[in-house]
Every structure is written in C-alpha cells, then in structure tokens.
C-alpha cells in the first residue's frame, strides 16, 4: 500500500538519561500449572520456547461468534440470505464467513483451562471466559515453568489441566532471562522498544547465528552493540569493539522472518527485512522495567459511532462483529509493516477508503493502516448496544468515525 507509506510514526522514544545500567526486567510471565493429576508447579512461565513476557501475544481462534445472531436474516448489504446466496443458508457456513482470530496480550489473561488437544477456555482478568481452538502453535505444545523448588519442567500439553497467571508476592529470584531492548532504524523512521529478532530471539541470552569468513559463529545478544544490514548479510558490532560481517543464516540475511518491536502505549510493529536498516541494542530505561500499569482491568469497548449521514450512536461497541473487549487487538498493514494494536490504546478510528483507516492513539500519535479485515471494507461492521435489548448494526461503508470512551 504505497499510499500509506506517507504515515511515519513519531515514536522516537530515546533514553532521557545516557549510560543507564541494565536492570532486571520484572514483566515476566509468572503463575502456576495444575496437571490432570492435581500436581501444582509454581514459578516463571514460558510458552513452549517462545512467549515469556506479559506483553507477548497469545493467538488462537474463537470457536463461536455470539454476535452473529444480530445479523438476523440480512447480510451486510441488507439483502436476504436466501435471495443473495444459498451459501449463507447454512449456519456453519455463516460462522465460517465471519470467523475471526483471537489475540490478546498474556498480561490480560487470568487463566487458561485446557479443554482438548488444541483448545482452551481462556479467562480474561475480568472473569470473562472465551472458548478457543487452534489458530496457532500457542495451543497443543508444552508449557515451561521454573518451579521454585524443582527448577525447569517442560509440561506436555496433554498433562495440563489449568494454567493460572498472577503476580508473585515478591520478585522471583529466577527467570528465563531479560528481554532484548533497542532502537530500530528503518526506511520509515526510528522506533525504540522491546525486540523479537527473526520472530524468535527475544532474550539477551539468545544467540545470533551466522557464518563469518572464518566459520560459523553464535553470538549471544548481550554481547552485541549493533546489527547493521549489508548487501549480502549483516555487520555485527560487539560491545568490545570487535566487528564481523555474517552471512548464510536467516538471522542476518533477507531470509529473516521479521523484526518485531513492542512499544508501550502503541503495540507491536513487525518490520520486514526490506524496511530494516539497523538495530542498536540499549539498556532498558528505568521507566520500562515494570509494565504492570499497562494491564489494567479489561473493559467492554464503549464509545460513539458517527455515520456518513451524521447520525450518532453511543453505547457498548462490538467491532467487526467480533471484538468486544479492549484487551483484544486491531491488526493492519502499512506498506507491508504489520501493526498489532490493543484496542485499549486506541482513541479513534476513521475509515478513509475501502482499503484503509486513520487510527488515532491515546498517545496522540496517528497510524494509517489497511489491507486487513479490521481496517478495510472486509470489516463485518459495528454493533452499538444502547440498552439491553436495543442495538444498532452499522455497515462498515456507513461509518464515518468511531470514538472510544
């Protein structure tokens, strides 16, 4: 979407104090695992060998959509299903058409009850439950826990009954490690936050792989000062001052799956190798050592919807006939950069055409996002509940502005 390329975010969150010393990050996943036999393990948690922080995202698929019943016998164009397309006559087919993925940050989850081989009953921190199945490798794999007495245990999915997340009474003495933090320089600007390299490495103890002119090397991120893209690989500068050009690995070439930066108050941005120029590793600023303030109690989406005819409807909002909680996540693209923004960070959504929207964040920053269901004409529309039995279903093409309150 080249017409979106003009949007450059001004998230230049530079350190206000230079030379900050590294400090222990205390936003790690923590909780307990109860097995099918009733055994309980307690300590820091890692989701298989991937997600380990409260800001990491849990992905799955909703089993059912309770808001389909509000469509009645009409499709999004106001046509009767039986007249417009026989395909819609089948309830399962209708559910398939409006099937949506589910995403939220681990910090918004209270518990996960395993209900099947790849299914769970997820409890948000409000006590609301959502049945989920499949959709990603977040279901069906082992869950790791650093038990306070036994050490690391990798509990198989079929042995898990319940995973509870909570804040420890005192900071855990053990963890899976501290996160990678740094400043990405890209073709559209500079962005500072927590880093996932190649969609994989996220801890300072993780290693960057590549081949130097003298052989294979594996460099822990805590020894790296800067990674700079070159024509055929990457120039790696170490904190000691040594430099190596590395090639022949998906960590350091165009085979890289993407560099994700997580920014407080915004969400996640997934940079392709095409946009990436360099990464400078930095100490974590003092103000970002603790992220618990980001995970306030989940609320229902509430706000005002103004139509293209300037009618205004205020009430509880269901977005895209699916997202109903502010812990859920809006997805969109900007010139192949993928943005994942929690609704609790969004102030306004203004459709600009069939293919993209202006998203105003509560921080005051603006994003132009498109090409995905949440922010394009494939959006199923918005329901505004004005009372228990009073609601308004508004087609996406009739929406002028959505303001969250």
């Amino acid at each position: 979407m080249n017409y979106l390329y003009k949007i450059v975010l001004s998230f230049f969150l530079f350190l206000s104090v230079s030379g900050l010393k590294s400090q222990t990050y205390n936003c790690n996943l923590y909780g307990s695992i109860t097995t099918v036999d009733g055994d309980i393990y307690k300590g820091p948690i890692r989701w298989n060998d991937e997600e380990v922080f409260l800001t990491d995202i849990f992905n799955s698929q909703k089993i059912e959509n309770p808001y389909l019943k509000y469509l009645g016998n009409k499709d999004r164009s106001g046509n009767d299903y039986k007249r417009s397309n026989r395909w819609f006559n089948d309830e399962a087919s209708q559910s398939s058409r409006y099937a949506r993925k589910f995403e939220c940050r681990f910090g918004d989850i209270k518990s996960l009850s395993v209900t099947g081989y790849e299914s769970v009953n997820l409890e948000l921190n409000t006590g609301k439950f959502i049945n989920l199945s499949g959709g990603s490798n977040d279901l069906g794999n082992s869950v790791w826990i650093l038990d306070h007495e036994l050490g690391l245990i990798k509990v198989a999915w079929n042995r898990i009954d319940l995973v509870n997340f909570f804040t420890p009474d005192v900071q855990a003495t053990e963890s899976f490690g501290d996160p990678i933090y740094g400043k990405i320089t890209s073709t559209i600007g500079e962005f500072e936050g927590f880093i996932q390299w190649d969609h994989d490495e996220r801890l300072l103890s993780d290693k960057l792989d590549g081949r130097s002119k003298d052989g294979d090397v594996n460099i822990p991120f805590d020894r790296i000062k800067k990674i700079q893209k070159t024509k055929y690989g990457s120039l790696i500068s170490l904190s000691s001052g040594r430099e190596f050009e590395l090639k022949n690995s998906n960590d350091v070439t165009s085979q890289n799956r993407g560099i994700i930066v997580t920014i407080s108050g915004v969400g996640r941005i997934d940079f392709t190798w095409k946009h990436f120029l360099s990464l400078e590793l930095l100490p974590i600023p003092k103000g970002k050592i603790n992220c618990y303030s980001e995970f306030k109690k989940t609320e229902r989406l509430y706000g005002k919807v103004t139509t293209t005819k300037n009618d205004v409807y205020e009430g509880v909002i269901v977005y895209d006939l699916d997202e109903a909680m502010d812990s859920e996540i809006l997805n969109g693209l900007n010139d192949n950069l993928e943005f994942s923004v929690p609704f609790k960070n969004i102030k306004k959504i203004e459709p600009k055409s069939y293919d993209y929207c202006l998203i105003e964040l509560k921080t005051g920053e603006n994003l132009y996002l498109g090409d995905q269901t949440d922010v394009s004409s494939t959006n199923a529309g918005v329901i505004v509940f004005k009372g228990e039995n009073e609601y308004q279903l508004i087609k996406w093409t009739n929406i002028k502005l959505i303001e969250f309150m």
Side-chain angles (χ1 to χ4, degrees):
M1 296 177 63
N2 292 331
Y3 58 87
L4 292 183
Y5 196 79
K6 59 185 178 183
I7 355 156
V8 181
L9 304 175
S10 54
F11 299 125
F12 306 129
L13 308 176
F14 297 113
L15 293 174
S16 58
V17 181
S18 60
L20 287 174
K21 294 182 179 179
S22 176
Q23 303 178 53
T24 300
Y25 188 59
N26 60 2
C27 287
N28 302 283
L29 293 180
Y30 189 93
S32 65
I33 297 176
T34 303
T35 71
V36 292
D37 292 328
D39 296 319
I40 299 176
Y41 304 100
K42 180 179 177 181
I45 290 174
R46 186 167 193 181
W47 218 249
N48 199 15
D49 61 346
E50 297 182 358
E51 293 84 2
V52 69
F53 301 117
L54 294 171
T55 51
D56 286 335
I57 292 179
F58 178 86
N59 300 271
S60 188
Q61 190 87 20
K62 293 181 179 178
I63 292 177
E64 56 187 15
N65 186 339
Y67 301 106
L68 289 183
K69 63 184 179 182
Y70 296 102
L71 284 176
N73 294 318
K74 305 291 184 181
D75 65 13
R76 287 180 292 166
S77 301
N79 300 315
D80 185 86
Y81 285 132
K82 295 181 181 180
R83 294 179 184 175
S84 62
N85 195 329
R86 288 179 299 170
W87 189 78
F88 291 115
N89 293 338
D90 180 73
E91 184 177 347
S93 297
Q94 183 180 338
S95 297
S96 176
R97 174 184 173 89
Y98 294 106
R100 295 291 187 264
K101 63 183 179 180
F102 173 84
E103 292 182 331
C104 78
R105 295 177 298 176
F106 274 87
D108 290 310
I109 301 173
K110 182 178 180 180
S111 71
L112 288 162
S113 300
V114 175
T115 56
Y117 175 67
E118 286 188 347
S119 61
V120 295
N121 192 2
L122 181 147
E123 181 185 10
L124 293 170
N125 55 23
T126 55
K128 176 181 172 61
F129 288 88
I130 304 173
N131 291 314
L132 305 169
S133 180
S136 79
N137 65 351
D138 285 343
L139 287 78
N141 281 315
S142 63
V143 178
W144 301 5
I145 187 165
L146 284 171
D147 183 81
H148 64 288
E149 290 183 313
L150 304 177
L152 178 62
I153 302 173
K154 300 179 181 180
V155 186
W157 184 261
N158 62 3
R159 295 290 304 161
I160 298 172
D161 178 48
L162 176 68
V163 180
N164 279 309
F165 296 104
F166 50 85
T167 304
D169 296 330
V170 295
Q171 186 172 331
T173 56
E174 292 185 310
S175 72
F176 287 95
D178 283 341
I180 301 169
Y181 187 90
K183 180 177 69 178
I184 285 182
T185 300
S186 74
T187 56
I188 66 168
E190 295 178 322
F191 303 82
E192 185 177 312
F194 295 95
I195 305 297
Q196 284 179 232
W197 187 264
D198 187 34
H199 282 200
D200 186 14
E201 291 87 4
R202 68 192 75 202
L203 300 175
L204 286 172
S205 56
D206 290 338
K207 295 180 179 180
L208 182 83
D209 303 322
R211 177 181 287 273
S212 72
K213 60 184 179 181
D214 297 315
D216 293 337
V217 294
N218 312 98
I219 308 173
F221 275 84
D222 60 5
R223 299 178 187 174
I224 297 173
K225 180 179 180 181
K226 189 173 185 179
I227 302 171
Q228 186 171 351
K229 184 170 69 174
T230 61
K231 186 174 182 179
Y232 298 111
S234 297
L235 178 66
I236 313 301
S237 301
L238 304 184
S239 301
S240 65
R242 300 171 73 185
E243 291 186 342
F244 303 89
E245 184 173 15
L246 301 184
K247 304 175 182 178
N248 297 93
S249 164
N250 60 312
D251 275 348
V252 293
T253 68
S254 59
Q255 299 303 309
N256 189 299
R257 291 168 292 182
I259 300 98
I260 296 172
V261 58
T262 297
I263 303 173
S264 177
V266 181
R268 299 184 359 154
I269 310 172
D270 191 349
F271 290 86
T272 65
W273 193 255
K274 166 189 169 183
H275 294 95
F276 171 75
L277 296 176
S278 68
L279 167 66
E280 179 185 0
L281 277 74
L282 300 169
I284 304 172
K286 284 185 178 179
K288 300 185 184 302
I289 291 295
N290 192 325
C291 69
Y292 292 119
S293 62
E294 293 186 39
F295 299 100
K296 298 176 182 178
K297 189 175 181 180
T298 297
E299 303 285 352
R300 291 294 302 264
L301 292 177
Y302 185 93
K304 293 191 297 185
V305 178
T306 303
T307 70
T308 53
K309 294 182 179 180
N310 290 321
D311 295 322
V312 178
Y313 301 94
E314 180 178 337
V316 172
I317 290 175
V318 178
Y319 186 85
D320 188 27
L321 208 63
D322 172 52
E323 288 99 353
M325 311 298 292
D326 64 5
S327 56
E328 297 189 72
I329 290 175
L330 178 140
N331 302 105
L333 296 176
N334 178 331
D335 193 34
N336 293 323
L337 273 71
E338 184 173 356
F339 287 72
S340 301
V341 184
F343 275 91
K344 63 178 61 179
N345 293 339
I346 298 174
K347 183 179 180 180
K348 297 178 182 178
I349 299 175
E350 184 178 353
K352 288 295 186 181
S353 77
Y354 286 108
D355 296 324
Y356 77 102
C357 293
L358 168 62
I359 310 295
E360 182 181 339
L361 302 178
K362 292 178 180 177
T363 59
E365 305 294 343
N366 290 330
L367 305 173
Y368 286 79
L369 302 180
D371 283 347
Q372 292 196 351
T373 300
D374 280 340
V375 286
S376 72
S377 59
T378 56
N379 188 301
V382 170
I383 303 175
V384 181
F385 289 94
K386 296 181 287 182
E388 185 175 351
N389 297 311
E390 185 180 2
Y391 65 92
Q392 187 73 30
L393 174 60
I394 307 168
K395 295 193 298 182
W396 182 253
T397 52
N398 293 336
I399 295 174
K400 180 179 179 181
L401 179 66
I402 301 172
E403 300 171 89
F404 295 106
M405 303 162 62

